[in-house]
Amino acid sequence: MNETGVRTAGPRVEVDRNLCVASGLCLAHLPAVFDQSDRDGRVLLVDPAPRAGLVPAVRAAADRCPSGAITLHEPGRPGHDLEEE
């Protein structure tokens, strides 16, 4: 669900700034979705609902994140369905 409580049908990206170690790999791979704070260097989420064509790159960024701070929720993909929150 998004901030308004409406369930979104497409992929959704979530970041945990508390886990982020400010490596910048996500920004280097995908500046359309991620940015880095000038203040502390940690990840900033630019686009929490990227278009379908960016999903493979988001998945790669999440897989390469050294701290596991990026999560990609993909409804309909085994092991990635969102349960009622």
Side-chain angles (χ1 to χ4, degrees):
M1 287 190 198
N2 65 18
E3 301 84 43
T4 62
V6 176
R7 181 171 295 283
T8 54
R12 183 175 55 87
V13 182
E14 194 174 293
V15 297
D16 185 337
R17 289 181 40 83
N18 292 319
L19 290 178
C20 182
V21 295
S23 72
L25 291 174
C26 55
L27 173 60
H29 281 34
L30 202 52
V33 177
F34 305 105
D35 199 355
Q36 212 168 2
S37 168
D38 290 335
R39 186 176 55 83
D40 61 12
R42 290 191 252 175
V43 65
L44 296 173
L45 187 57
V46 174
D47 186 359
R51 62 182 171 77
L54 293 178
V55 170
V58 174
R59 193 179 304 122
D63 289 345
R64 292 181 180 129
C65 178
S67 64
I70 301 169
T71 303
L72 175 62
H73 300 280
E74 297 180 85
R77 184 170 180 191
H80 294 266
D81 289 333
L82 293 175
E83 299 295 326
E84 286 296 318
E85 296 177 343

